[in-house]
Amino acid sequence: KAINSVEQFLIAKHLLYWTVIIVPVSVIIGLLVALFLWLLELATETRWANMWLIFLLPLAGILITFLYKALGKNSDAGNNLVMDEIHKPGGGIPARMTPLILFTTVITHLFGGSAGREGTAVQMGGSISSLFAKSYKLKQEDRRILLMGGMAAGFGAVFGTPVTGAIFALEVLAIGRIKYDALIPCLIASVVADVTCSACGILHTQYSINFISSNEHLIPFIPIDVLLLLKVIIAGVLFGFTGFLFAELTRFIKDKSNLYFTRKWLIPVTGAILVVGISYLIGSFDYLGLGVTNPHKDGVSIVSAFSPGGAMYFSWFFKLVLTAITLGMGFKGGEVTPLFFIGATLGNTLAVLTGSPVDLFAGLGFIAVFAAATNTPLACTMMGIELFGTEHTLYFAIACFTAYYFSGNSGIYGSQRVAVNKF
Amino acid sequence: KAINSVEQFLIAKHLLYWTVIIVPVSVIIGLLVALFLWLLELATETRWANMWLIFLLPLAGILITFLYKALGKNSDAGNNLVMDEIHKPGGGIPARMTPLILFTTVITHLFGGSAGREGTAVQMGGSISSLFAKSYKLKQEDRRILLMGGMAAGFGAVFGTPVTGAIFALEVLAIGRIKYDALIPCLIASVVADVTCSACGILHTQYSINFISSNEHLIPFIPIDVLLLLKVIIAGVLFGFTGFLFAELTRFIKDKSNLYFTRKWLIPVTGAILVVGISYLIGSFDYLGLGVTNPHKDGVSIVSAFSPGGAMYFSWFFKLVLTAITLGMGFKGGEVTPLFFIGATLGNTLAVLTGSPVDLFAGLGFIAVFAAATNTPLACTMMGIELFGTEHTLYFAIACFTAYYFSGNSGIYGSQRVAVNKF
């Protein structure tokens, strides 16, 4: 009994210690994410207004390659470096990772590369928290927790989903297992960074699923739409395959490029030419950049995918290929927003093919392809809830869990460990 | 590459295999839970109509003790037996556990013991799935997954929260870690059992939190109600302590009873006399039975706790003591519904004391005391979402995670292992 009553004091001390440590770090990460999102919007709008900028994409690629070669140290490993340092502390995450990834991501978007945001936010979070860990002179174990907090802060702030940010940081490290050792530090970090980012005036895109399950069912007495459930499961399988395809294709392009190109600067130049060329072949620039919204009324974007007619049959495939080339051939940015795009447009297509509600399936694809490619089904279910509301929690869970299984032990993060095999 | 493409087929085979195995088990568990909930309602209403039944509580206790001694084999270990069999397969879970726990729980409720439902549902789930595992001749590892599916099915069906049921079964086994090995089997089991149970006409109590966060904030530019957030954190700490207190008191009563009473039948008789006597002392029978609703207009119940004036200052404490005596001295039933009661009424009291929204704090207490006592913060956050909607996801997570920490490495399930220390 005496030990147990002391226990609560130790816990309170532990939590206060972490609150004091992590709040300043999270405020700074939140500010940086706000700056990043503001720059990203500026870059996107500048490109929309000056489409000729995409012809400079090859030059942007050379600049990025040069910057990382000259100044990057080991920063080029990106998210994997952050995860490696959490798994097994090594040389640390260089502070320069923050300006480098911030600048090169904005450059990538300004000149029309197809990329995302969360990688940038997570890398800034990781490198800032590594800097703080050094100045705090934290011991190994605490350093690990602070790095996880940094990831959570970056992720939570960039999407405006604090609970998802915390769960993501815990879940992404290993396939098939969550450990709770950093639960509260991650939640504090994620909430503080999100609040800071919002306080700077950053608004996150609002999505909504208006579909309401009907009370008329195929089979009397069975209070669930069995047909819709089956469609969701089949869609979940396809979302899983798509996540798998994206991860494998990106890795394949990266490996082959590094193998066949002896002059490294030729990689992004070739990538840029491919991205611009393929866009001309498709006859659309909708698949460049972030893709959350589209300036043209009938352009394809994540938001448009939530309405009937908001995506073409192969929108998902175009975005998948262009993003795999962009990120596989030396440009910078995250994978998650493109994964949202791929998922939402694939969901739109599947809804049309199966006669299902478009907004529901776009939302399911949005979270499930991401769940498959990153192996984080719980974080993605929570993201569905935080973004789309609670009405369809069960479908969110079914789509994410199914997709998670069908991506196999593959994924976009090479440094993710396999804790529990999927079958 | 070749191995990877085979991987998806192995996964599909694995999932089909589990679907075929787990659907019949889950249907049966769903039917049993429906029967149980129907009997429970009958017992509760019968007691309400005939309050003199509570004077027979001592005799009911003797009957229960006798039944378990004569027929129980190792069934008396209850939930802990199910968890032990998952951790380390031993002698198996006897099939007789199902009728025994079903009958004795209904008896406990009929004669006014203060107890819950989930323990019964989980034990029926465990024993039925153990029976199936034997007849399927499953190998060790698969037997483990089927048992977890049985737990998920019982939990998901009894509360009408399928996603929570699946996460609970994965999360409850060890403190501080979730492993995903049984993710999909648990989700299938939980959904199928819940649908089956609803198909039998079982309706679950609807709760609602109408509080909407205001847009006027204490501090300009900070888009979150900092004062409310602080109140939620403080409430979370107290919910954690309360969960801890319940777990420790129940264990203390059980240990001391077994130590001091040489005639085992005297334990429930003493318990029954205490329960009835304390009810007379308090001057209220509101704390007997399940407590979800109350036949009297101004009686205290879980539902009433969501409205101002729906609980007294010490309602939570009365329920805590009566439940600890009931379950610590030989009566049968779950702990979770009483934990909901304790949490919701404590939340009501804290809301009054701190000037916070009553329905929000009742909802937070509902899930957070449960999170603390069972060490399942993620399942409880999800339960908040499944029961109360998504508006307050962040507060749900903060209350559950904080309460989880402040219960220490204590909890109501002795067979729960400590995978990761809390500090």
Side-chain angles (χ1 to χ4, degrees), chain A residues 8 171 178 180 184 405-406, chain B residues 8 171 178 180 184 406:
Chain A
Q8 328 287 339
E171 192 176 31
I178 284 197
Y180 288 13
I184 284 269
Y405 270 97
F406 278 90
Chain B
Q8 330 287 340
E171 193 177 28
I178 284 197
Y180 288 12
I184 285 269
F406 278 89

Side-chain angles (χ1 to χ4, degrees), chain B residues 232-253:
Chain B
V232 169
I233 293 171
I234 292 166
V237 173
L238 295 173
F239 293 144
F241 268 102
T242 308
F244 167 79
L245 185 65
F246 175 79
E248 291 292 316
L249 184 63
T250 308
R251 184 167 314 154
F252 178 80
I253 290 175

Side-chain angles (χ1 to χ4, degrees), chain B residues 287 300 310-320 341 345 349:
Chain B
Y287 308 102
V300 176
M312 292 186 300
Y313 273 136
F314 291 103
S315 289
W316 65 275
F317 184 71
F318 298 151
K319 186 71 179 176
L320 191 155
F341 190 114
T345 50
T349 300

Side-chain angles (χ1 to χ4, degrees), chain B residues 92-107:
Chain B
I93 303 167
R96 61 187 69 183
M97 184 189 247
T98 293
L100 265 176
I101 189 70
L102 179 62
F103 180 71
T104 55
T105 305
V106 173
I107 289 290

